[in-house]
Amino acid sequence: MTTNKLQKNDIFKIFKLSRMHPEEEKVNKLIEEFNSILELAEKLNEVDTKNIDATSHVHGATNIFREDKRSDFTAKEKILSIMPENSGTYIKVPIVIEQE
Amino acid sequence: MDYEAVIGLETHVQLNTLSKIFCSAGTTFGEDPNNLIDPLTFGLPGALPVVNKRVIDSAILLGLGLNCQIRKFNRFARKHYFYPDLPKGYQISQSDEPICEHGRVTIEDNGTSRTIGITRIHMEEDAGKSIHDARTNSSLVDLNRAGVPLLEIVSQPDIRNAVEAGLYLKVIRQIVRWLGISDGNMEEGSLRCDANISLRPVGQLKFGTRAEIKNINSFKYVEKAIEYEIARQLKILKEGGTVIQETRLFNSETETTHEMRGKEGAADYRYFADPDLPPVVIEESWIQKIRQTMPVLPSEKKLELINTHKLTEYDAEVLTTEREFSDYFDAVFKVCKDAKLSCNWITSELFGALKKLHIDFSNNPISSEVLGELIKLIKEEVISGKMAKTIFEILIENPSKKIQEIIKEKGLKLISDPEEIRVLVNEVFKNNADNLKKFLDGNNKLHGFFVGQVLKLSAGNAKPELVNQIITEELKKIK
Amino acid sequence: MFINKSIKELRKGIKQKDFSKKEIADFYLSRIKKFNNLNAFSHIHPINEKDLNNSDISSDTLSGIPVALKDNILSRNNPATACSKILDGFIAPYDATVTSKLKSSGAILIGNNNMDEFAMGSSSENSSLGNVLNPWDLNKVPGGSSGGGAAAVAARLIPVALGTDTGGSVRQPASFCGIVGLKPTYGRNSRYGVIAYASSLDQVGVMTNSVEDCALVSEIIAGFDPLDSTSVDVPIPNFSSTLGKDIKGLRIGIPKEYFIKELNTEIDTSIRTALSELEKLGATLVEISLPHTEYAVATYYIIAPAEAASNLSRYDGIRYGKRSKDTEDLFDLYCKTRTEGFGTEVKRRILIGTYVLSEGYFDAYYIKAQKVRTLVANDFKEVFENQCDIIACPTAPTTAFNLGEKCNDPISMYLNDIFTIPTNLAGLPAMSIPCGFDSNNMPIGLQLIGKAWDEETIFKTAYLYEQTHDWHKRIPKGFE
């Protein structure tokens, strides 16, 4: 891992990937903060992690399952009542350009 | 220059579990929009996934069915993209740790068989569905399907043409139905497929640039889409152009593919192990347990029918298209012990009758015991084949009726005593003196006439072979 | 009249009809109203009178005890917004498992506490509802992210508050406000119905004025939950029954990496005094080393934002919560909703998290951090296997800082979690308890870290230590 100094373009790309609009006047400050956070992160380069497993789950529990049983949620109407825009029980959104 | 196509299929199989992969909401098709929702399906804050064990069992079963290696240490991964029918902003899937790998499946085309490699099978959740209304410039989202379990089967790029692709997909459908893990219904979307297609000069090892075709939702369209895409790429290459790597959509109305709009740049799915779901460890004992529940696969069953039961390749093929056919055959055979008759009665009489009456095989009114018994009576010469058909026709209308009852009511009894038949033959000769004379003068065509007359006189109960034989004997005597 | 009454005393009073449940609730509700300048609450729940108009107390329950929930813990039919604009108007259609456990033990859910938006922060200044004040000094922060709950418990606006702790969010505000706060072992409590920040680190924790109250509530909310597959099916110990047991021969590890130059000297002195008290109680002090401590903050600020960026993807304006008006198309709807809905710190962490998960950086940052996480956890494993039974150290390197002091310096804010983060990375239980005041009369917290699933030793030790002083009984000036 080399020191990755982030540029404006990189930030814009991350904004887009995160589905947020960059606020032009704040971008320079953000880049600065971002780079200092990454600098902090790069401290980890000092640590030798050869042959060390990555921890994705902190306790060793495995195989927690549920049986294949259906049970209907009792407050469906409550969920449907909080949709910001709807058409009947459908959620309404601006048209999706193309179905993937 | 000659080109060959290199095709790989990604097949999504929807599992037939009662509840979703990570929550207990139902999975039934055709419900009212957003009726199968709960906190997780709706992506509510605080909702957490818990794995449906049957999904793991099904994945292991399919892995064994497609000769895969089963991974011991499995994790689910989050695949991120924003889409209205993806309620959490990520799909829970598997990335570089799929549950099954390194499998293969055999397809057969007019007697030649080819092996298609299976790269991987992984578990994931389905997305919801949207309907688009250009008039109001809006889309309507239904999350009923969101969270329904899927197995994605990725083939090696071993497929070479549209026909093979169709055959491959049919085998996959046959196996998932055979194993009982999915209904494989393409119309309802429980079987869907994307195709990766590229062309390369014959003899070249390196793959050409591929296009991914999405939205293929019927067997017919798989072949159409691939044929169109091969032709499209061939035209580009012949004109000296280059194929670009892209995702294309198949349009079933025009039967063409087109570039997908609204897709900006290469996707970056940012996969990482889902911290909400502890790892799934599959020990050998679990695999063994599943293996014990696994039925004989259709390809093996077919060989068994040909080799052990001496059925024709065609008959064996028909009986193994569905596991219920094959199971039914086994059960009928167990009663009557005659493979050929069992096969004929199932594939012609039974299938024919069901088709005529628009009855699905799953609602077949004739139990395997009854059909087996009927065939047994033919074999034991208690009834004739013709009588059996009469009985069968009555049974299919009145499945609760007993065979013996019908025999009694209709007075169906095979006459197989030669002396009894000899009396009938002589009576017919006596009543048809003219024809007998012509016959004796050498008109051999009249043999059939006499057989018919004897059968008629016996009300159809005389055993035809015996009638034949005795007529010949009696004629010899007269001569 | 109810101030500094323990849960047990309140229960006894209800039973003997010295006072009623309604009187208790009204007392606290009036204090919440009176001291709303602290901005410690985000929402007051409507209370079912039926729950108050009875003196029924089945033993071992919280019958009639007022409890507040952090605004990221769902309770059915009440708002839960994690103090984010993006969840404006969101009414929870279901109860978190910890909420239903409190309800069935008879607790009276009074309201939700203000917090840092989505639990991201160490000062409770990142809230859509404005910052929370520290009752010990209204110019200082209460710590965060469970600052509303900590301030409310310290100011005696509520006897019990549930918080969440991802990198210290229960313990650091407990330390800043002079109260008791426990983060249990990861997997001890269900996270179902708790708005996720970083799933592999988040745990619900209890904040109270005394160790005994903390034990009583902690044992009620603990336990395996079939709806949370990261909760673990281990027996739920009876925490309160360990209180009063002696600690003779207990080996207390003192990690040298926690006594660094950044540590405020007054805190250093207080902690050392507390350690000698523990020694007097029969414990042995052992110097230990946790060599990867200095990498914990960097590790945390990769893992937590990555998980957060993912967890917060669902706030998209499509199905619930805020949806921005006047958007051009679907893409703009997503972006505008999220840009307007999230605050600065949340956006910052989403961006960092998205970056470290993105193609080309994933292994270098995220996987690297997960590997260092293993080493941080191994440090603890080793000392617990060979050298000590419990670890004692400061909860935070400073006492409460001034409002606004660190707002423009995220790194210095992040470093305030330096002593609390390692236990989240290792999934271990840890508690902050009051151990004195600095010269500005701001509380200091002692942190006790236990082995996995061994909250009992923490409770036992904390309780005995608590009996040696009266810091936990002190009430901030103006709130008597």
Side-chain angles (χ1 to χ4, degrees):
Chain A
M1 170 165 52
T2 54
T3 303
N4 290 295
K5 281 278 176 221
L6 228 61
Q7 309 295 327
K8 238 184 181 167
N9 271 350
D10 303 316
I11 281 280
F12 286 152
K13 219 179 96 187
I14 304 165
F15 265 104
K16 195 172 178 184
L17 209 48
S18 310
R19 292 295 185 275
M20 298 191 293
H21 287 311
E23 289 151 283
E24 199 61 53
E25 68 282 4
K26 292 184 185 164
V27 164
N28 284 332
K29 184 159 179 289
L30 186 71
I31 291 175
E32 211 176 286
E33 287 167 358
F34 223 90
N35 281 325
S36 60
I37 294 168
L38 292 181
E39 214 172 280
L40 175 74
E42 277 153 21
K43 194 175 159 59
L44 301 186
N45 287 337
E46 297 168 13
V47 188
D48 181 8
T49 51
K50 217 166 83 191
N51 301 324
I52 301 295
D53 288 334
T55 296
S56 59
H57 301 82
V58 71
H59 53 56
T62 57
N63 293 10
I64 309 295
F65 301 121
R66 38 175 287 272
E67 293 305 313
D68 182 28
K69 280 191 191 130
R70 172 177 174 167
S71 75
D72 288 2
F73 185 64
T74 49
K76 280 184 223 172
E77 297 70 30
K78 285 254 153 68
I79 295 183
L80 295 174
S81 72
I82 56 177
M83 293 192 283
E85 220 183 322
N86 65 297
S87 171
T89 58
Y90 281 108
I91 307 157
K92 194 171 175 185
V93 297
I95 194 156
V96 177
I97 303 213
E98 196 116 62
Q99 187 77 13
E100 198 174 315
Chain B
M1 202 191 302
D2 281 338
Y3 288 89
E4 71 168 351
V6 175
I7 303 162
L9 293 188
E10 291 171 14
T11 313
H12 288 89
V13 176
Q14 217 177 57
L15 298 179
N16 56 4
T17 51
L18 297 174
S19 61
K20 291 185 176 179
I21 178 169
F22 299 118
C23 62
S24 56
T27 55
T28 36
F29 182 80
E31 295 258 354
D32 289 341
N34 290 314
N35 191 38
L36 302 174
I37 55 164
D38 63 0
L40 188 75
T41 308
F42 219 68
L44 289 186
L48 292 172
V50 183
V51 179
N52 181 342
K53 182 162 177 288
R54 205 171 138 217
V55 174
I56 314 277
D57 288 339
S58 300
I60 297 173
L61 190 57
L62 182 60
L64 294 175
L66 295 178
N67 306 293
C68 292
Q69 287 169 19
I70 312 293
R71 180 182 299 275
K72 183 176 176 190
F73 185 81
N74 289 271
R75 281 185 300 189
F76 285 97
R78 296 182 179 181
K79 177 184 182 181
H80 299 84
Y81 60 93
F82 286 92
Y83 216 76
D85 61 18
L86 189 69
K88 298 185 294 300
Y90 56 84
Q91 178 192 29
I92 305 177
S93 180
Q94 293 188 287
S95 62
D96 46 5
E97 297 168 316
I99 185 164
C100 311
E101 281 175 294
H102 312 300
R104 66 192 180 283
V105 68
T106 304
I107 57 169
E108 274 174 57
D109 185 15
N110 286 327
T112 55
S113 65
R114 288 240 298 127
T115 298
I116 308 296
I118 302 291
T119 309
R120 58 183 280 165
I121 305 171
H122 69 256
M123 306 174 279
E124 63 185 23
E125 56 179 340
D126 209 343
K129 262 191 215 170
S130 312
I131 45 178
H132 311 293
D133 186 354
R135 204 170 34 86
T136 61
N137 215 24
S138 60
S139 296
L140 302 178
V141 184
D142 171 14
L143 295 176
N144 283 349
R145 201 181 67 179
V148 171
L150 295 178
L151 294 180
E152 180 175 332
I153 309 164
V154 181
S155 86
Q156 297 272 28
D158 291 343
I159 298 166
R160 291 291 168 267
N161 55 54
V163 173
E164 281 185 5
L167 288 169
Y168 167 83
L169 202 58
K170 282 195 181 105
V171 172
I172 295 293
R173 181 178 184 273
Q174 179 191 32
I175 289 178
V176 298
R177 287 175 62 86
W178 192 273
L179 297 174
I181 59 173
S182 169
D183 63 20
N185 188 332
M186 277 197 109
E187 287 69 46
E188 290 181 4
S190 34
L191 189 70
R192 309 195 284 273
C193 109
D194 303 334
N196 285 300
I197 302 165
S198 65
L199 297 188
R200 66 179 171 193
V202 172
Q204 180 183 303
L205 284 180
K206 203 171 151 273
F207 294 147
T209 308
R210 67 187 165 88
E212 183 179 8
I213 316 298
K214 287 187 174 280
N215 209 23
I216 308 175
N217 52 18
S218 87
F219 281 101
K220 189 176 113 193
Y221 296 147
V222 175
E223 297 194 19
K224 294 275 183 207
I226 291 173
E227 274 163 12
Y228 176 85
E229 185 58 23
I230 291 174
R232 186 189 72 88
Q233 291 187 16
L234 191 61
K235 185 161 179 277
I236 293 173
L237 294 171
K238 292 262 180 191
E239 286 168 359
T242 46
V243 174
I244 47 170
Q245 185 169 340
E246 62 185 351
T247 303
R248 299 178 68 83
L249 289 184
F250 178 68
N251 181 330
S252 55
E253 277 163 35
T254 58
E255 298 187 348
T256 59
T257 67
H258 63 269
E259 189 189 334
M260 197 163 125
R261 290 175 296 142
K263 183 120 178 168
E264 355 100 27
D268 184 346
Y269 292 125
R270 289 155 286 142
Y271 281 103
F272 76 101
D274 193 328
D276 287 333
L277 291 161
V280 176
V281 177
I282 302 170
E283 301 288 355
E284 194 50 40
S285 56
W286 189 352
I287 300 173
Q288 282 310 326
K289 218 164 126 192
I290 299 288
R291 204 188 293 276
Q292 280 159 15
T293 68
M294 193 166 86
V296 176
L297 290 173
S299 51
E300 294 164 47
K301 187 72 199 177
K302 191 176 151 187
L303 285 179
E304 183 194 308
L305 293 178
I306 295 170
N307 296 334
T308 316
H309 291 306
K310 308 293 173 206
L311 296 186
T312 63
E313 162 109 24
Y314 176 81
D315 284 342
E317 179 78 42
V318 172
L319 286 178
T320 53
T321 42
E322 297 286 352
R323 186 167 147 210
E324 22 180 11
F325 299 169
S326 154
D327 286 350
Y328 188 81
F329 168 83
D330 284 348
V332 172
F333 175 77
K334 207 175 149 201
V335 178
C336 71
K337 305 275 188 267
D338 188 314
K340 184 69 199 162
L341 273 181
S342 298
C343 172
N344 289 348
W345 271 85
I346 293 167
T347 57
S348 25
E349 300 308 321
L350 181 63
F351 286 1
L354 294 178
K355 195 175 170 192
K356 207 172 117 195
L357 298 168
H358 305 289
I359 299 174
D360 194 78
F361 187 80
S362 55
N363 298 321
N364 172 20
I366 312 281
S367 75
S368 54
E369 291 78 21
V370 169
L371 187 59
E373 187 57 37
L374 194 63
I375 297 170
K376 202 173 158 198
L377 292 174
I378 304 171
K379 260 193 85 181
E380 289 170 351
E381 302 194 337
V382 177
I383 55 173
S384 68
K386 196 165 170 255
M387 289 174 196
K389 279 178 195 171
T390 310
I391 296 169
F392 181 84
E393 273 158 26
I394 294 167
L395 277 174
I396 208 146
E397 302 283 353
N398 311 284
S400 57
K401 266 213 147 121
K402 299 266 173 298
I403 294 177
Q404 292 305 334
E405 238 179 280
I406 301 170
I407 289 179
K408 220 181 211 172
E409 277 173 23
K410 295 272 160 186
L412 300 171
K413 190 154 184 351
L414 191 61
I415 303 169
S416 47
D417 175 0
E419 292 320 307
E420 214 175 308
I421 291 173
R422 209 176 299 280
V423 172
L424 293 173
V425 167
N426 283 317
E427 195 177 336
V428 167
F429 282 177
K430 207 170 85 192
N431 295 343
N432 295 282
D434 288 1
N435 279 337
L436 182 64
K437 192 169 176 289
K438 283 180 197 158
F439 191 56
L440 290 170
D441 287 347
N443 188 348
N444 284 334
K445 280 180 193 162
L446 283 166
H447 187 91
F449 165 79
F450 286 115
V451 174
Q453 288 300 310
V454 174
L455 286 175
K456 196 176 165 192
L457 190 62
S458 76
N461 291 357
K463 195 180 170 192
E465 304 91 83
L466 215 52
V467 173
N468 229 342
Q469 187 196 323
I470 289 169
I471 287 175
T472 312
E473 282 173 21
E474 288 303 299
L475 282 172
K476 265 187 195 153
K477 281 188 200 161
I478 298 171
K479 272 182 182 172
Chain C
M1 75 183 277
F2 298 110
I3 285 178
N4 278 357
K5 275 210 169 23
S6 71
I7 290 175
K8 278 188 174 167
E9 286 163 346
L10 289 173
R11 218 157 60 184
K12 201 171 150 199
I14 297 168
K15 196 180 175 189
Q16 296 175 351
K17 304 223 163 109
D18 296 341
F19 40 78
S20 69
K21 291 180 184 178
K22 187 162 175 16
E23 281 172 291
I24 301 174
D26 287 345
F27 171 81
Y28 283 108
L29 282 166
S30 70
R31 281 184 71 82
I32 291 167
K33 212 170 164 190
K34 184 172 169 196
F35 298 110
N36 70 356
N37 62 319
L38 287 180
N39 201 18
F41 280 79
S42 59
H43 174 73
I44 302 299
H45 296 176
I47 303 172
N48 190 344
E49 290 288 322
K50 228 173 55 204
D51 296 338
L52 296 177
N53 294 331
N54 66 72
S55 57
D56 166 50
I57 59 151
S58 5
S59 60
D60 292 317
T61 68
L62 298 177
S63 282
I65 306 300
V67 177
L69 302 172
K70 193 175 176 176
D71 200 38
N72 60 353
I73 300 173
L74 272 56
S75 61
R76 197 173 168 172
N77 297 339
N78 287 307
T81 70
C83 289
S84 177
K85 276 192 276 185
I86 207 150
L87 278 168
D88 255 359
F90 174 73
I91 306 290
Y94 71 104
D95 274 333
T97 299
V98 291
T99 306
S100 47
K101 288 192 172 194
L102 286 175
K103 280 183 177 174
S104 51
S105 77
I108 306 297
L109 299 178
I110 294 283
N112 287 2
N113 288 126
N114 200 349
M115 59 184 281
D116 281 305
E117 182 181 2
F118 284 108
M120 297 179 194
S122 311
S123 66
S124 299
E125 293 170 293
N126 305 326
S127 163
S128 65
L129 302 172
N131 60 290
V132 183
L133 307 183
N134 190 318
W136 293 96
D137 179 344
L138 301 182
N139 295 309
K140 293 194 187 290
V141 302
S145 64
S146 312
V153 171
R156 272 64 175 178
L157 309 187
I158 197 87
V160 181
L162 251 50
T164 60
D165 190 316
T166 307
S169 281
V170 161
R171 291 159 290 155
Q172 184 255 22
S175 165
F176 280 16
C177 293
I179 61 164
V180 176
L182 172 78
K183 178 203 95 75
T185 310
Y186 182 85
R188 175 68 88 190
N189 293 336
S190 168
R191 295 186 296 113
Y192 184 75
V194 179
I195 300 180
Y197 159 22
S199 312
S200 77
L201 301 159
D202 294 345
Q203 269 297 291
V204 172
V206 176
M207 296 186 288
T208 55
N209 289 116
S210 71
V211 173
E212 183 189 75
D213 285 358
C214 186
L216 285 171
V217 182
S218 293
E219 64 199 22
I220 277 167
I221 63 168
F224 172 69
D225 177 8
L227 295 173
D228 172 7
S229 36
T230 65
S231 68
V232 176
D233 199 357
V234 290
I236 311 167
N238 191 338
F239 297 142
S240 48
S241 71
T242 67
L243 307 181
K245 288 191 180 154
D246 74 71
I247 56 165
K248 291 207 170 62
L250 187 78
R251 297 168 304 163
I252 301 180
I254 315 299
K256 61 175 193 216
E257 290 79 5
Y258 285 59
F259 295 83
I260 46 172
K261 64 176 192 315
E262 288 85 358
L263 180 64
N264 174 303
T265 50
E266 289 184 82
I267 296 179
D268 190 302
T269 311
S270 275
I271 299 290
R272 290 188 195 278
T273 311
L275 292 176
S276 57
E277 289 288 344
L278 289 166
E279 225 175 353
K280 278 185 217 155
L281 292 165
T284 327
L285 304 183
V286 194
E287 183 174 287
I288 57 164
S289 171
L290 301 166
H292 294 93
T293 303
E294 60 171 315
Y295 302 107
V297 172
T299 303
Y300 176 86
Y301 280 97
I302 292 169
I303 291 174
E307 292 183 9
S310 173
N311 285 331
L312 271 57
S313 306
R314 67 185 60 186
Y315 307 112
D316 56 7
I318 301 293
R319 298 167 309 286
Y320 53 82
K322 180 190 166 67
R323 178 186 283 196
S324 286
K325 302 258 175 322
D326 305 322
T327 52
E328 287 165 27
D329 53 20
L330 181 65
F331 180 79
D332 190 38
L333 184 149
Y334 279 131
C335 296
K336 213 170 162 193
T337 301
R338 289 166 63 83
T339 305
E340 294 173 358
F342 292 134
T344 307
E345 182 60 27
V346 172
K347 277 185 219 166
R348 189 184 285 136
R349 293 196 197 184
I350 289 176
L351 292 168
I352 292 277
T354 303
Y355 179 72
V356 299
L357 289 177
S358 65
E359 217 175 314
Y361 302 101
F362 178 70
D363 286 331
Y365 289 108
Y366 189 72
I367 295 296
K368 179 79 183 179
Q370 285 193 324
K371 288 181 176 175
V372 179
R373 182 176 184 176
T374 306
L375 293 171
V376 172
N378 286 349
D379 282 356
F380 284 104
K381 229 177 249 168
E382 218 150 279
V383 296
F384 279 134
E385 261 166 37
N386 303 313
Q387 290 178 275
C388 59
D389 309 304
I390 192 170
I391 293 168
C393 58
T395 307
T398 66
T399 53
F401 44 87
N402 291 329
L403 289 166
E405 188 182 323
K406 293 181 196 282
C407 281
N408 291 316
D409 186 359
I411 299 282
S412 119
M413 186 77 92
Y414 296 172
L415 289 172
N416 204 263
D417 300 333
I418 187 163
F419 300 149
T420 46
I421 280 174
T423 47
N424 295 86
L425 292 175
L428 302 176
M431 178 187 276
S432 180
I433 49 168
C435 75
F437 290 82
D438 69 4
S439 49
N440 294 319
N441 201 35
M442 294 309 289
I444 297 169
L446 167 73
Q447 181 174 217
L448 297 172
I449 303 169
K451 295 176 189 171
W453 312 111
D454 187 17
E455 287 85 353
E456 283 158 294
T457 303
I458 296 177
F459 275 115
K460 190 170 75 174
T461 312
Y463 183 77
L464 285 189
Y465 172 68
E466 188 185 63
Q467 306 312 305
T468 66
H469 61 78
D470 70 345
W471 289 311
H472 60 290
K473 290 189 178 139
R474 290 197 204 169
I475 296 164
K477 226 173 148 185
F479 293 89
E480 294 89 352

